[in-house]
Amino acid sequence: MIEFSETQLQIMEALARYKYLTSSQLVKLGITGDRRSIYRAISKMPGSRTPYIDRKNFPPIPGVGKIESVYFLSPKAAEILKSELDYEPNQIRYPRSRQSFFSRDYYHRLGTVDFQIAWDSYRKENNLPEIDFRTYFDFEGANHSGKGEPLRSLTRIPVEGHGRGFIVPDAVLRYEQEDGNERLFLYELANGRDANYIMKQIYGHA
């Protein structure tokens, strides 16, 4: 068995849950007390040239400056979680391609992750069992292979009477209340200032 530190294991488990995380978000999850400790733990991961934890760097944003890199699991790490920590495949989220994260989606995607982190904290404090949590950047189907079903977001929902015939919420979550009833929520994050666009998004979910 490959030896990992407790911090390294916690980082991999957090990435399996949230798929994409910055060092600041890993600190927010309580894995370490500062970002430097996150960098140190990831840089000292065992193994060969193929990393267990990969990252994507982004160019500075005009008016903002340098932004944080985003970490995610490699397929190699997914295999470790399955073989050594008894994870099921559907418990591990990681991108099949490094090209699936774009600069334009940076704040929107990380904002959706922040929501999931906050949701996890809330449901644990209130003892709410989660049934399912999906985001718009989770996919099923084939990716440009021409084989099988086309690539689709797991939050895509067919809607009759809607212009496109479907909606794609930023997140879809289900949980069980204390009385045993299930609740379904659709989450939509809007970072812009276009009120008409926001209203269209809300109307599509209604």
Side-chain angles (χ1 to χ4, degrees), residues 65-134:
K66 185 178 180 180
I67 57 177
E68 288 190 72
S69 300
V70 174
Y71 295 98
F72 49 90
L73 293 179
S74 70
K76 186 176 178 180
E79 291 303 317
I80 287 291
L81 291 174
K82 287 186 287 186
S83 63
E84 304 295 344
L85 298 180
D86 297 325
Y87 271 64
E88 296 295 330
N90 62 359
Q91 294 178 301
I92 306 171
R93 299 167 66 201
Y94 66 97
R96 275 34 178 193
S97 168
R98 297 187 82 259
Q99 305 306 316
S100 61
F101 199 129
F102 302 97
S103 297
R104 288 186 179 182
D105 198 36
Y106 182 87
Y107 289 109
H108 191 260
R109 190 166 300 198
L110 294 182
T112 302
V113 173
D114 280 335
F115 169 72
Q116 187 177 7
I117 292 173
W119 160 246
D120 278 349
S121 177
Y122 174 82
R123 71 177 179 82
K124 290 173 183 176
E125 289 176 2
N126 292 275
N127 196 31
L128 300 173
E130 182 180 85
I131 299 172
D132 193 20
F133 192 108
R134 304 179 179 190

Coordinates of all heavy atoms in Angstrom, one line a residue, residues 65-134:
G65 N -6.4 40.6 -11.3 CA -5.0 40.1 -11.1 C -4.9 38.6 -11.0 O -5.8 37.9 -11.6
K66 N -4.0 38.1 -10.3 CA -3.8 36.6 -10.2 C -4.9 35.9 -9.5 O -5.4 36.4 -8.5 CB -2.4 36.3 -9.5 CG -2.0 34.9 -9.5 CD -0.7 34.7 -8.8 CE -0.3 33.2 -8.8 NZ 1.0 33.0 -8.2
I67 N -5.3 34.8 -10.0 CA -6.4 34.0 -9.3 C -5.8 32.6 -8.9 O -4.8 32.2 -9.5 CB -7.6 33.9 -10.2 CG1 -7.3 33.2 -11.5 CG2 -8.3 35.2 -10.4 CD1 -8.5 33.0 -12.4
E68 N -6.5 32.0 -8.0 CA -6.0 30.7 -7.5 C -6.1 29.6 -8.5 O -7.0 29.5 -9.3 CB -6.8 30.3 -6.2 CG -6.5 31.1 -5.0 CD -7.1 30.5 -3.8 OE1 -6.6 29.4 -3.3 OE2 -8.1 31.0 -3.3
S69 N -5.1 28.7 -8.4 CA -5.2 27.4 -9.2 C -6.3 26.6 -8.7 O -6.7 26.7 -7.5 CB -3.9 26.7 -9.2 OG -2.8 27.5 -9.7
V70 N -6.8 25.7 -9.5 CA -7.9 24.8 -9.1 C -7.3 23.3 -9.1 O -6.7 22.9 -10.1 CB -9.1 24.9 -10.0 CG1 -10.2 23.8 -9.7 CG2 -9.7 26.3 -9.9
Y71 N -7.6 22.6 -8.0 CA -7.1 21.2 -7.9 C -8.2 20.2 -8.2 O -9.4 20.5 -8.0 CB -6.6 21.0 -6.5 CG -5.3 21.8 -6.2 CD1 -5.4 23.0 -5.4 CD2 -4.1 21.4 -6.6 CE1 -4.3 23.7 -5.1 CE2 -2.9 22.1 -6.2 CZ -3.1 23.3 -5.5 OH -2.0 24.0 -5.2
F72 N -7.8 19.1 -8.7 CA -8.8 18.0 -9.0 C -8.0 16.7 -9.0 O -6.8 16.6 -9.1 CB -9.5 18.2 -10.3 CG -8.6 18.5 -11.5 CD1 -8.1 17.5 -12.3 CD2 -8.3 19.8 -11.8 CE1 -7.3 17.8 -13.3 CE2 -7.5 20.1 -12.8 CZ -6.9 19.1 -13.6
L73 N -8.8 15.6 -8.8 CA -8.2 14.2 -8.8 C -7.8 13.8 -10.2 O -8.4 14.1 -11.2 CB -9.2 13.2 -8.2 CG -9.6 13.3 -6.7 CD1 -10.6 12.2 -6.4 CD2 -8.4 13.3 -5.8
S74 N -6.7 13.0 -10.2 CA -6.4 12.3 -11.5 C -7.0 10.9 -11.4 O -7.4 10.4 -10.4 CB -4.9 12.2 -11.6 OG -4.4 11.2 -10.6
P75 N -7.1 10.3 -12.6 CA -7.6 8.9 -12.6 C -6.8 8.0 -11.7 O -7.4 7.0 -11.1 CB -7.5 8.5 -14.1 CG -7.5 9.8 -14.8 CD -6.8 10.8 -13.9
K76 N -5.5 8.3 -11.5 CA -4.7 7.5 -10.6 C -5.2 7.5 -9.2 O -5.2 6.6 -8.4 CB -3.3 8.0 -10.8 CG -2.2 7.2 -10.0 CD -0.8 7.8 -10.3 CE 0.3 7.0 -9.6 NZ 1.6 7.6 -9.9
A77 N -5.6 8.7 -8.8 CA -6.1 8.9 -7.4 C -7.4 8.2 -7.2 O -7.7 7.7 -6.2 CB -6.2 10.4 -7.1
A78 N -8.2 8.3 -8.3 CA -9.5 7.6 -8.2 C -9.4 6.1 -8.0 O -10.1 5.5 -7.2 CB -10.3 7.8 -9.5
E79 N -8.4 5.5 -8.6 CA -8.1 4.1 -8.4 C -7.7 3.8 -6.9 O -8.0 2.8 -6.4 CB -7.0 3.6 -9.4 CG -7.5 3.6 -10.8 CD -8.8 2.7 -11.0 OE1 -8.8 1.6 -10.4 OE2 -9.7 3.1 -11.7
I80 N -6.9 4.7 -6.4 CA -6.4 4.6 -5.0 C -7.6 4.6 -4.0 O -7.7 3.8 -3.1 CB -5.4 5.7 -4.6 CG1 -4.1 5.4 -5.3 CG2 -5.2 5.8 -3.1 CD1 -3.3 4.2 -4.7
L81 N -8.5 5.5 -4.3 CA -9.7 5.6 -3.4 C -10.6 4.4 -3.5 O -11.2 4.0 -2.5 CB -10.5 6.9 -3.8 CG -9.9 8.2 -3.5 CD1 -10.7 9.4 -4.0 CD2 -9.7 8.4 -2.0
K82 N -10.7 3.8 -4.7 CA -11.5 2.6 -4.8 C -10.8 1.4 -4.2 O -11.4 0.6 -3.5 CB -11.8 2.3 -6.3 CG -12.8 3.3 -6.9 CD -13.2 2.9 -8.3 CE -12.0 3.2 -9.3 NZ -12.5 3.0 -10.7
S83 N -9.5 1.2 -4.4 CA -8.8 0.0 -4.0 C -8.4 0.0 -2.5 O -8.4 -1.0 -1.8 CB -7.6 -0.2 -4.9 OG -6.6 0.9 -4.7
E84 N -8.0 1.2 -2.0 CA -7.5 1.3 -0.6 C -8.5 1.8 0.4 O -8.5 1.5 1.6 CB -6.3 2.2 -0.6 CG -5.2 1.8 -1.6 CD -4.6 0.4 -1.2 OE1 -4.8 0.0 -0.1 OE2 -3.9 -0.1 -2.1
L85 N -9.5 2.7 -0.1 CA -10.5 3.2 0.9 C -11.9 2.8 0.6 O -12.8 3.4 1.2 CB -10.4 4.8 0.8 CG -9.0 5.4 1.2 CD1 -9.0 6.9 1.2 CD2 -8.7 4.9 2.7
D86 N -12.1 1.8 -0.3 CA -13.4 1.2 -0.5 C -14.4 2.2 -1.0 O -15.6 2.0 -0.8 CB -13.9 0.5 0.7 CG -13.0 -0.6 1.2 OD1 -12.4 -1.3 0.3 OD2 -12.8 -0.8 2.4
Y87 N -14.0 3.2 -1.8 CA -15.0 4.1 -2.4 C -15.6 3.3 -3.6 O -15.0 2.6 -4.3 CB -14.2 5.3 -3.0 CG -14.1 6.4 -2.0 CD1 -13.4 6.3 -0.8 CD2 -14.8 7.7 -2.2 CE1 -13.3 7.4 0.1 CE2 -14.7 8.7 -1.4 CZ -13.9 8.6 -0.2 OH -13.8 9.6 0.7
E88 N -16.9 3.6 -3.8 CA -17.6 3.2 -5.0 C -17.3 4.2 -6.1 O -17.1 5.4 -5.9 CB -19.1 3.1 -4.7 CG -19.5 2.0 -3.7 CD -19.2 0.6 -4.1 OE1 -19.2 0.4 -5.4 OE2 -18.9 -0.2 -3.3
P89 N -17.4 3.7 -7.4 CA -17.1 4.6 -8.5 C -18.0 5.9 -8.5 O -17.5 7.0 -8.8 CB -17.4 3.8 -9.7 CG -17.1 2.4 -9.3 CD -17.5 2.3 -7.8
N90 N -19.3 5.7 -8.1 CA -20.1 6.9 -8.1 C -19.9 7.9 -7.0 O -20.6 8.9 -6.9 CB -21.6 6.4 -8.1 CG -22.0 5.7 -6.9 OD1 -21.2 5.4 -6.0 ND2 -23.2 5.3 -6.8
Q91 N -19.0 7.5 -6.1 CA -18.6 8.4 -5.0 C -17.4 9.3 -5.3 O -17.0 10.1 -4.5 CB -18.3 7.6 -3.7 CG -19.5 6.9 -3.1 CD -19.1 6.0 -1.9 OE1 -18.2 5.2 -2.0 NE2 -19.7 6.3 -0.8
I92 N -16.8 9.1 -6.5 CA -15.6 9.8 -6.8 C -15.9 10.7 -8.1 O -16.3 10.2 -9.1 CB -14.5 8.8 -7.2 CG1 -14.3 7.8 -6.0 CG2 -13.2 9.6 -7.5 CD1 -13.3 6.7 -6.4
R93 N -15.7 12.0 -7.9 CA -15.9 12.9 -9.0 C -14.5 13.4 -9.4 O -13.8 14.0 -8.6 CB -16.8 14.1 -8.5 CG -18.2 13.6 -8.1 CD -18.9 14.7 -7.4 NE -19.2 15.8 -8.3 CZ -19.5 17.1 -7.8 NH1 -19.4 17.3 -6.5 NH2 -19.7 18.0 -8.7
Y94 N -14.2 13.3 -10.7 CA -13.0 13.9 -11.2 C -13.2 14.1 -12.7 O -14.0 13.4 -13.4 CB -11.8 13.0 -11.0 CG -11.8 11.6 -11.7 CD1 -11.1 11.5 -12.9 CD2 -12.5 10.6 -11.1 CE1 -11.1 10.2 -13.5 CE2 -12.5 9.3 -11.8 CZ -11.8 9.2 -13.0 OH -11.8 8.0 -13.6
P95 N -12.6 15.1 -13.3 CA -12.8 15.4 -14.7 C -12.1 14.4 -15.6 O -11.0 13.9 -15.3 CB -12.1 16.8 -14.9 CG -11.1 16.9 -13.8 CD -11.7 16.1 -12.6
R96 N -12.7 14.0 -16.7 CA -12.1 13.1 -17.7 C -11.1 13.8 -18.6 O -10.3 13.2 -19.3 CB -13.1 12.4 -18.5 CG -13.8 11.2 -17.9 CD -13.9 11.2 -16.5 NE -14.6 10.0 -16.0 CZ -15.1 9.9 -14.7 NH1 -15.0 10.9 -13.9 NH2 -15.7 8.7 -14.3
S97 N -11.1 15.2 -18.5 CA -10.2 16.0 -19.4 C -9.8 17.2 -18.6 O -10.6 17.9 -17.9 CB -10.9 16.3 -20.7 OG -10.2 17.3 -21.4
R98 N -8.6 17.6 -18.8 CA -8.1 18.9 -18.2 C -8.7 20.1 -18.9 O -8.6 21.2 -18.4 CB -6.6 19.0 -18.3 CG -5.9 17.9 -17.5 CD -4.4 18.2 -17.4 NE -4.0 19.1 -16.4 CZ -3.7 20.4 -16.6 NH1 -3.8 20.9 -17.8 NH2 -3.4 21.2 -15.6
Q99 N -9.3 19.9 -20.1 CA -9.8 21.0 -20.9 C -11.3 21.3 -20.5 O -11.9 22.1 -21.2 CB -9.7 20.7 -22.4 CG -8.3 20.3 -22.8 CD -7.3 21.3 -22.5 OE1 -7.5 22.5 -22.7 NE2 -6.1 20.9 -22.0
S100 N -11.8 20.7 -19.5 CA -13.2 20.8 -19.2 C -13.5 22.0 -18.2 O -14.6 22.2 -17.7 CB -13.8 19.5 -18.6 OG -13.1 19.2 -17.4
F101 N -12.5 22.8 -17.9 CA -12.6 23.9 -17.0 C -12.0 25.1 -17.7 O -10.9 25.2 -18.1 CB -11.8 23.7 -15.7 CG -12.2 24.6 -14.6 CD1 -12.5 24.0 -13.4 CD2 -12.3 25.9 -14.7 CE1 -12.9 24.8 -12.3 CE2 -12.7 26.7 -13.7 CZ -12.9 26.2 -12.4
F102 N -12.9 26.1 -18.0 CA -12.5 27.3 -18.7 C -12.5 28.6 -17.8 O -13.2 28.7 -16.8 CB -13.5 27.5 -19.9 CG -13.6 26.4 -20.8 CD1 -14.7 25.4 -20.6 CD2 -12.7 26.2 -21.8 CE1 -14.8 24.3 -21.5 CE2 -12.8 25.1 -22.7 CZ -13.8 24.2 -22.5
S103 N -11.6 29.5 -18.2 CA -11.5 30.7 -17.5 C -12.8 31.5 -17.3 O -13.1 32.0 -16.2 CB -10.4 31.6 -18.1 OG -9.2 31.0 -18.2
R104 N -13.6 31.5 -18.3 CA -14.9 32.2 -18.2 C -15.8 31.6 -17.2 O -16.7 32.3 -16.7 CB -15.6 32.2 -19.6 CG -14.9 33.1 -20.6 CD -15.7 33.2 -21.9 NE -15.1 34.0 -22.9 CZ -15.7 34.3 -24.1 NH1 -16.8 33.7 -24.4 NH2 -15.1 35.1 -24.9
D105 N -15.6 30.3 -16.9 CA -16.5 29.6 -15.9 C -15.9 29.6 -14.5 O -16.5 29.0 -13.6 CB -16.7 28.2 -16.4 CG -17.9 27.6 -15.8 OD1 -18.9 28.3 -15.5 OD2 -17.9 26.3 -15.5
Y106 N -14.8 30.3 -14.3 CA -14.0 30.1 -13.1 C -14.9 30.5 -11.8 O -15.1 29.7 -10.9 CB -12.8 31.1 -13.1 CG -11.9 31.0 -11.9 CD1 -10.9 30.0 -11.8 CD2 -12.1 31.9 -10.8 CE1 -10.0 30.0 -10.7 CE2 -11.2 31.8 -9.7 CZ -10.2 30.9 -9.7 OH -9.4 30.8 -8.6
Y107 N -15.4 31.7 -11.8 CA -16.2 32.1 -10.6 C -17.5 31.4 -10.5 O -17.9 31.1 -9.3 CB -16.4 33.6 -10.6 CG -15.1 34.4 -10.4 CD1 -14.5 35.1 -11.4 CD2 -14.5 34.4 -9.1 CE1 -13.3 35.8 -11.2 CE2 -13.3 35.1 -8.9 CZ -12.8 35.8 -9.9 OH -11.6 36.5 -9.7
H108 N -18.1 31.1 -11.6 CA -19.4 30.4 -11.5 C -19.2 29.0 -11.0 O -20.0 28.5 -10.1 CB -20.0 30.4 -12.9 CG -21.4 29.9 -13.0 ND1 -21.8 28.7 -13.3 CD2 -22.6 30.6 -12.7 CE1 -23.1 28.5 -13.3 NE2 -23.6 29.7 -12.9
R109 N -18.2 28.3 -11.5 CA -18.0 26.9 -11.0 C -17.6 26.9 -9.6 O -18.1 26.1 -8.8 CB -17.0 26.2 -11.9 CG -16.9 24.7 -11.7 CD -16.2 24.0 -12.8 NE -16.8 24.2 -14.1 CZ -16.5 23.4 -15.1 NH1 -15.7 22.4 -15.0 NH2 -17.1 23.6 -16.3
L110 N -16.7 27.7 -9.2 CA -16.2 27.7 -7.8 C -17.3 28.2 -6.8 O -17.4 27.8 -5.7 CB -15.0 28.5 -7.6 CG -13.7 28.0 -8.3 CD1 -12.5 28.9 -8.0 CD2 -13.4 26.5 -7.9
G111 N -18.2 29.1 -7.3 CA -19.3 29.5 -6.6 C -20.3 28.4 -6.3 O -20.9 28.3 -5.2
T112 N -20.5 27.6 -7.3 CA -21.3 26.4 -7.1 C -20.7 25.4 -6.1 O -21.4 24.8 -5.3 CB -21.6 25.7 -8.5 OG1 -22.1 26.6 -9.4 CG2 -22.5 24.5 -8.3
V113 N -19.4 25.3 -6.1 CA -18.7 24.4 -5.1 C -18.9 25.0 -3.7 O -19.2 24.3 -2.8 CB -17.2 24.3 -5.5 CG1 -16.5 23.6 -4.3 CG2 -17.0 23.5 -6.8
D114 N -18.8 26.4 -3.6 CA -19.0 27.0 -2.3 C -20.4 26.7 -1.8 O -20.6 26.5 -0.6 CB -18.8 28.5 -2.4 CG -17.4 29.0 -2.4 OD1 -16.5 28.2 -1.9 OD2 -17.1 30.0 -3.0
F115 N -21.4 26.7 -2.7 CA -22.7 26.4 -2.3 C -22.8 24.9 -1.7 O -23.5 24.7 -0.7 CB -23.7 26.5 -3.4 CG -25.1 26.0 -3.2 CD1 -25.9 26.6 -2.3 CD2 -25.5 24.8 -3.8 CE1 -27.2 26.0 -2.0 CE2 -26.7 24.2 -3.5 CZ -27.6 24.9 -2.6
Q116 N -22.2 24.0 -2.4 CA -22.2 22.6 -1.9 C -21.5 22.5 -0.6 O -22.0 21.7 0.3 CB -21.6 21.7 -3.0 CG -21.7 20.2 -2.6 CD -21.2 19.3 -3.6 OE1 -20.5 19.7 -4.6 NE2 -21.4 18.0 -3.4
I117 N -20.4 23.2 -0.4 CA -19.7 23.2 0.9 C -20.7 23.7 2.0 O -20.8 23.1 3.1 CB -18.4 24.0 0.9 CG1 -17.4 23.3 -0.1 CG2 -17.8 24.2 2.3 CD1 -16.2 24.2 -0.3
A118 N -21.3 24.8 1.7 CA -22.3 25.4 2.7 C -23.4 24.4 3.0 O -23.9 24.3 4.1 CB -22.8 26.8 2.2
W119 N -23.9 23.8 1.9 CA -25.0 22.9 2.0 C -24.6 21.7 2.9 O -25.4 21.2 3.8 CB -25.5 22.4 0.7 CG -26.3 21.1 0.7 CD1 -25.9 19.9 0.2 CD2 -27.6 20.9 1.3 NE1 -26.9 19.0 0.4 CE2 -27.9 19.5 1.1 CE3 -28.5 21.7 2.0 CZ2 -29.1 19.0 1.5 CZ3 -29.6 21.1 2.4 CH2 -30.0 19.8 2.2
D120 N -23.4 21.2 2.7 CA -23.0 20.0 3.5 C -22.9 20.4 5.0 O -23.3 19.6 5.8 CB -21.6 19.6 3.0 CG -21.6 18.7 1.8 OD1 -22.7 18.2 1.5 OD2 -20.6 18.4 1.2
S121 N -22.4 21.6 5.3 CA -22.4 22.1 6.6 C -23.7 22.2 7.3 O -24.0 21.7 8.4 CB -21.7 23.4 6.7 OG -21.6 23.9 8.0
Y122 N -24.7 22.7 6.5 CA -26.1 22.9 7.0 C -26.7 21.6 7.3 O -27.4 21.4 8.3 CB -26.9 23.7 6.0 CG -28.3 23.8 6.3 CD1 -28.8 24.8 7.3 CD2 -29.3 23.0 5.7 CE1 -30.1 24.9 7.6 CE2 -30.6 23.1 6.1 CZ -31.0 24.0 7.0 OH -32.4 24.1 7.3
R123 N -26.6 20.6 6.3 CA -27.4 19.4 6.5 C -26.8 18.5 7.6 O -27.5 17.8 8.3 CB -27.4 18.6 5.2 CG -26.1 18.0 4.7 CD -26.3 17.2 3.4 NE -25.0 16.6 3.0 CZ -24.5 15.5 3.5 NH1 -25.2 14.8 4.4 NH2 -23.3 15.1 3.0
K124 N -25.4 18.6 7.8 CA -24.8 17.9 8.9 C -25.3 18.5 10.3 O -25.5 17.7 11.2 CB -23.3 17.9 8.8 CG -22.8 17.1 7.6 CD -21.3 17.2 7.4 CE -20.9 16.4 6.2 NZ -19.4 16.6 5.9
E125 N -25.3 19.8 10.4 CA -25.8 20.4 11.6 C -27.2 20.1 11.9 O -27.6 20.0 13.1 CB -25.6 22.0 11.5 CG -24.2 22.4 11.5 CD -24.1 23.9 11.3 OE1 -25.1 24.6 11.1 OE2 -22.9 24.5 11.2
N126 N -28.0 19.9 10.9 CA -29.4 19.6 11.1 C -29.8 18.1 10.8 O -31.0 17.8 10.8 CB -30.3 20.5 10.1 CG -30.2 22.0 10.5 OD1 -30.9 22.4 11.3 ND2 -29.2 22.7 9.9
N127 N -28.8 17.3 10.7 CA -29.0 15.8 10.6 C -29.9 15.5 9.5 O -30.9 14.7 9.6 CB -29.5 15.3 11.9 CG -29.4 13.8 12.0 OD1 -28.5 13.2 11.4 ND2 -30.3 13.1 12.7
L128 N -29.7 16.0 8.3 CA -30.5 15.8 7.1 C -29.7 14.8 6.2 O -28.7 15.2 5.6 CB -30.8 17.1 6.4 CG -31.5 18.2 7.2 CD1 -31.6 19.4 6.4 CD2 -32.9 17.7 7.5
P129 N -30.2 13.6 6.0 CA -29.6 12.7 5.1 C -29.7 13.1 3.6 O -30.8 13.5 3.2 CB -30.3 11.3 5.3 CG -31.1 11.5 6.6 CD -31.4 13.0 6.7
E130 N -28.6 13.1 2.9 CA -28.6 13.5 1.5 C -28.8 12.3 0.7 O -28.3 11.2 0.9 CB -27.2 14.2 1.1 CG -27.2 14.6 -0.3 CD -25.9 15.3 -0.7 OE1 -24.9 14.5 -1.0 OE2 -25.8 16.5 -0.6
I131 N -29.7 12.4 -0.3 CA -29.9 11.4 -1.3 C -29.1 11.5 -2.5 O -28.5 10.6 -3.1 CB -31.4 11.3 -1.6 CG1 -32.3 11.1 -0.3 CG2 -31.7 10.2 -2.6 CD1 -33.7 11.2 -0.5
D132 N -29.0 12.8 -3.0 CA -28.3 13.0 -4.2 C -27.9 14.5 -4.3 O -28.6 15.4 -3.9 CB -29.2 12.6 -5.4 CG -28.4 12.5 -6.7 OD1 -27.2 12.4 -6.7 OD2 -29.0 12.6 -7.8
F133 N -26.7 14.7 -4.9 CA -26.3 16.1 -5.2 C -25.6 16.1 -6.5 O -24.6 15.4 -6.7 CB -25.4 16.7 -4.1 CG -25.2 18.1 -4.2 CD1 -25.7 19.0 -3.3 CD2 -24.4 18.7 -5.2 CE1 -25.5 20.4 -3.4 CE2 -24.2 20.0 -5.3 CZ -24.7 20.9 -4.4
R134 N -26.0 16.8 -7.5 CA -25.4 16.9 -8.8 C -25.2 18.3 -9.2 O -25.9 19.2 -8.9 CB -26.3 16.2 -9.9 CG -26.7 14.8 -9.6 CD -27.5 14.2 -10.6 NE -27.9 12.8 -10.3 CZ -28.5 12.0 -11.2 NH1 -28.8 12.4 -12.4 NH2 -28.7 10.7 -10.8

